[in-house]
Amino acid sequence: RPIRPEEFWKVVDHACRHLPDDRPRYLMGVGYPLDLVVCTALGVDQYDCVYPTRTARFGVALVDEGQIKLKQHEFAPGISDQSELPIDDACPCEACVRRISRGRLHGLLKANNSIAVQLLTQHNVTYMMGLVNRMRAAILEKRFASFVREFLGKYFRSETHGSIPKWVQDALEAAGVSLDKKNQKASLIS
């Protein structure tokens, strides 16, 4: 059976606390953006996972707000304003820079055109690299806690995700990252 998030974060926390400080902490097979943010707070340094490329094959684009499932009818050209937008205005991937619309990608995906999967793969890998680079910069600039609060604010603002799960709150508390700006604990990465 798969490990539940309530157990998962505790295993990651235990391992990170007991590994020598001068060694990297590598977590294999963890690739959801939320998990990367939480596990980075717990002390993980390196990741690798098929998630960004595998999810692209299913027509899913990753963004800070979660996922955009481009095969869904709402992204068909002419159905809504959402279909006219690129995946993410701020993303430097080829699809976003060229402003290829969500509607165009929807049509390519529905036609089983492999270029759509290639563009989504580039987007998702670019997104994940950008997320890791933003986390790294926040750590180096001693503003990781505010980065986490901002990320969670975007991620859980959408109707899809609802409120921040207790396991995320517990893991971040164990890492010394308070979700309340006023009660920010002292932390190496805050």
Side-chain angles (χ1 to χ4, degrees):
R1 87 181 159 86
I3 188 167
R4 296 184 339 222
E6 299 82 7
E7 299 165 343
F8 164 74
W9 79 261
K10 292 176 185 175
V11 172
V12 172
D13 184 49
H14 178 81
C16 287
R17 289 182 191 276
H18 290 88
L19 288 170
D21 288 339
D22 65 339
R23 298 289 186 234
R25 282 130 173 92
Y26 166 69
L27 190 56
M28 183 179 207
V30 173
Y32 295 129
L34 176 62
D35 293 346
L36 266 64
V37 171
V38 170
C39 291
T40 297
L42 293 170
V44 175
D45 301 306
Q46 300 174 6
Y47 304 89
D48 87 67
C49 185
V50 300
Y51 178 71
T53 55
R54 183 184 60 219
T55 198
R57 291 193 302 269
F58 294 109
V60 177
L62 303 176
V63 292
D64 277 353
E65 295 78 14
Q67 300 177 341
I68 300 175
K69 297 178 180 177
L70 292 167
K71 284 186 175 181
Q72 290 183 345
H73 181 68
E74 69 185 280
F75 296 109
I79 296 296
S80 75
D81 293 341
Q82 290 290 313
S83 69
E84 302 305 317
L85 300 172
I87 298 167
D88 181 351
D89 283 323
C91 178
C93 80
E94 183 177 356
C96 294
V97 168
R98 291 179 55 198
R99 301 200 53 81
I100 297 172
S101 72
R102 296 172 183 185
R104 178 73 176 133
L105 290 166
H106 170 88
L108 291 169
L109 287 163
K110 288 297 191 175
N112 291 320
N113 188 320
S114 65
I115 193 71
V117 173
Q118 292 171 17
L119 289 167
L120 281 176
T121 298
Q122 287 177 2
H123 169 80
N124 287 351
V125 171
T126 301
Y127 170 78
M128 295 300 276
M129 292 301 298
L131 175 62
V132 171
N133 286 333
R134 288 183 290 147
M135 286 192 293
R136 183 176 192 274
I139 290 167
L140 292 173
E141 296 166 8
K142 307 283 191 228
R143 57 176 184 78
F144 186 72
S146 62
F147 169 84
V148 171
R149 287 189 294 271
E150 181 182 318
F151 177 84
L152 294 177
K154 288 179 186 176
Y155 193 82
F156 289 102
R157 177 176 36 210
S158 73
E159 297 167 7
T160 329
H161 295 105
S163 60
I164 299 171
K166 179 129 175 52
W167 75 266
V168 172
Q169 297 174 39
D170 292 345
L172 293 172
E173 182 178 332
V177 176
S178 174
L179 296 181
D180 181 3
K181 287 182 190 179
K182 295 174 187 171
N183 295 326
Q184 181 59 47
K185 295 179 184 178
S187 169
L188 292 175
I189 58 176
S190 62

